[in-house]
Amino acid sequence: MTSDAGADMLLRVTVTETWETVDLVVAAGTSVREVKQEALRRGLHAEPDLGAYEVKFRGALVVDEDATLETVGVPSGAALIVLPARRRPVR
């Protein structure tokens, strides 16, 4: 993939804790962890415990959150999901 790491890209990130979708404009060189942090801040309206959440792209867990969006293959316009790392029982 040959793109400018500084180029702006639009992402739609759903935070399942609140089912809020957050639109983010970030550079392709932004880490997945930074995207998760900003989405949680906006979706939860609080400082999140980053270790308590994980990110999925195209249904797959993003294991290396220090990787850049470009490295993971996230294109502009993509949708990501941020969800609790541990499953919660259905009540």
Side-chain angles (χ1 to χ4, degrees):
M1 184 164 154
T2 58
S3 67
D4 180 7
D8 285 342
M9 52 192 297
L10 174 65
L11 301 176
R12 295 185 57 97
V13 186
T14 301
V15 178
T16 63
E17 195 83 350
T18 58
W19 287 109
E20 192 166 328
T21 300
V22 177
D23 290 331
L24 298 176
V25 176
V26 297
T30 303
S31 74
V32 174
R33 184 178 320 280
E34 291 172 294
V35 170
K36 176 173 81 169
Q37 183 175 23
E38 187 60 26
L40 286 168
R41 277 189 191 140
R42 292 186 191 186
L44 299 177
H45 308 287
E47 280 301 315
D49 173 10
L50 295 180
Y53 296 90
E54 59 191 19
V55 179
K56 289 193 175 182
F57 171 57
R58 294 184 177 158
L61 177 65
V62 178
V63 179
D64 182 8
E65 292 183 356
D66 290 324
T68 66
L69 296 168
E70 183 176 38
T71 301
V72 174
V74 178
S76 185
L80 291 98
I81 299 174
V82 177
L83 62 158
R86 296 181 181 231
R87 293 181 185 244
R88 296 184 179 169
V90 177
R91 297 178 188 190

